[in-house]
Structures are given as C-alpha cells and as structure tokens.
Amino acid sequence: IASDITDHVRFEQERARAESALRESEERFRALVQNSSDITVVLEPDGNVRYASPALERILGYEPNAILGDSPFSYMHPDDIETVQAHMAEAIAHPGIPVSSEFRLRRADGSWLHMEIIGNNLLDQPGIEGIVVNARDTTERWRAEEAVRESEAWLKSTIESLPFDFFALDSDGRYMLQNSVCRSSWGDIIGKRPEDIALSEEIAAKWAYNNRRALCGETITEEVEWVHRGKRAFNHNIISPVYDGDQIRGI
C-alpha cells in the first residue's frame, strides 16, 4: 500500500510539473504573439478567422475580435484572390510545410497595404488545429522596388531615344547594353567583345587600348576614321568609365 501511495504521489508531482511547464510555454508563446510586430492569424479549417493578434489593429486598423469568423478573402484586393487561393490550396495539401505569398489587404480607412505572408497548415497538430498565418507589411519595400522599376524604365527609354550609337561594356570587356541606333548600325552585339565586330586588327587593337584606359578611370574623347559597310566613316567617340561607388563596373 505504501508503495502504491508513493507511486501515486510521484505521478501527481510529475503531472503537476508537466502542466506547469505547459502553462509556462503557452504563456511565453502568447506573450511573443501578442507583442510581435507582425500580424498572426489562425484560420479555421473552413478558412475563416479564429484568432488575430493585436498587431492587426496597429497595421490594418481593425480591432482583432471584430474580424473573428470573417473570411480573409473579403479584405483582399480582388486581383490577388486567385493567386492566394492557389497558395492556400498548396498549404492545405502539404501540412507542416510553410507556404509564402504576397498580396494587398484593405485597411480600415480603405487604403491598400502590400503584405507578405507565410502560412502553415497545422490542422492536425493538437492545441492548434488551424492554419497559422504570419503577415508582414511590405508596402515601403514595394514602393522602393516600384521606384527602381520606374527609374530603370525611364533610363531605358532615354537611352533608346538617343540619336547616336550608345553602348556599354562590362569590366570583362563584353557589350551588355546598346540602343536602337547602335543595333541598326552594328546588329545585336550583346555578349560580344570589340574584337568580334572590329573591321581590322588595327581598329580592334585601338579599341582595346582605349577601353583599358577607360577601365582605369580615364574619359577619352577622339575622332575616329574607319570603313563601315563599304563607306569611309568618321565618328566622334566619347568613352567614359561607369562607377558603382568607388568601383569601376564598366565603360
């Protein structure tokens, strides 16, 4: 009897320790989620919201309890829903494997934010039994990337509009950029080297020499005479180094 009592006491002590450890773990997890700068959402098996963290109100302006039971698709930009549905189907088909997606969400004031999410199907995990979604506001990053895209498009348009041959070579001496006038004169030279298109060994040697000078930091201005397509031609050339910070990346 004494042995049974001792075993029972030991069992109760171990169970109490396990329950205490579980409570501490849950409290620690809750504290992390509640204070995270990212939004955490748990979706029911039918896709509706079961839980939303406090960051939802700070980022999107919705009180977390106000969206419980709602479908997240009702807050998404219509143009993004099909893509997100495909990613959600992928997450459901592969439990435990994180799936990422990017889309726009409507804020409470009607504006749109670009969000990056990672969803994980934990429907089979006891204590969660849902799809856990972590979402981060990437609007500023998107704006920066859009500004770069617009700048690149503007630069390309400007180069294409130049009324003279324009081309650029990388530091290995290969053509990496040319405009329409240059294509009309020389054809497609991307990936080639000057010696591949030069009309004579003398011209190739001169081009190579000037290119080396430019790659060392010089800007070279010269009048060049050559024979192009059977006719004598004169060009006014300007060869300049292209800098990336303190590094010369090409000419």
Side-chain angles (χ1 to χ4, degrees), residues 149-166:
R149 286 191 290 268
E150 290 178 355
S151 177
E152 290 176 345
W154 181 87
L155 179 61
K156 181 178 180 181
S157 176
T158 300
I159 291 172
E160 284 295 316
S161 300
L162 294 174
F164 46 77
D165 287 347
F166 178 93

Side-chain angles (χ1 to χ4, degrees), residues 139-248:
T139 304
E140 290 305 316
R141 185 185 74 187
W142 179 86
R143 286 174 179 163
E145 292 172 349
E146 182 68 11
V148 170
R149 286 191 290 268
E150 290 178 355
S151 177
E152 290 176 345
W154 181 87
L155 179 61
K156 181 178 180 181
S157 176
T158 300
I159 291 172
E160 284 295 316
S161 300
L162 294 174
F164 46 77
D165 287 347
F166 178 93
F167 50 83
L169 296 85
D170 61 21
S171 58
D172 291 327
R174 292 186 182 276
Y175 293 101
M176 55 178 293
L177 183 66
Q178 66 179 140
N179 67 353
S180 57
V181 176
C182 183
R183 279 191 297 274
S184 177
S185 299
W186 297 94
D188 185 4
I189 61 174
I190 301 301
K192 296 180 180 180
R193 296 180 181 275
E195 57 266 30
D196 297 328
I197 65 171
L199 303 176
S200 69
E201 291 185 5
E202 181 182 358
I203 291 176
K206 186 171 185 179
W207 284 358
Y209 173 67
N210 286 337
N211 290 348
R212 285 196 300 272
R213 291 169 60 194
L215 286 171
C216 289
E218 287 189 62
T219 295
I220 299 148
T221 301
E222 63 177 358
E223 300 293 334
V224 179
E225 178 183 358
W226 53 14
V227 177
H228 182 46
R229 293 184 176 178
K231 296 181 180 180
R232 187 173 299 279
F234 295 87
N235 275 11
H236 177 76
N237 287 354
I238 301 174
I239 309 172
S240 304
V242 177
Y243 286 91
D244 181 4
D246 294 332
Q247 300 271 334
I248 296 177

Side-chain angles (χ1 to χ4, degrees), residues 33-40 53-64 107-109 113 115 135-137:
V33 171
Q34 297 283 346
N35 292 284
S36 173
S37 59
D38 296 341
I39 300 171
T40 298
S53 67
L56 181 80
E57 186 168 12
R58 178 178 56 79
I59 296 175
L60 292 173
Y62 302 106
E63 202 280 322
R107 298 187 77 248
D109 63 8
L113 289 183
M115 306 294 295
R136 174 173 297 178
D137 180 7

Side-chain angles (χ1 to χ4, degrees), residues 17 27 85 92 154 172:
R17 282 195 293 269
E27 290 171 359
Q85 285 176 332
I92 292 174
W154 181 87
D172 291 327

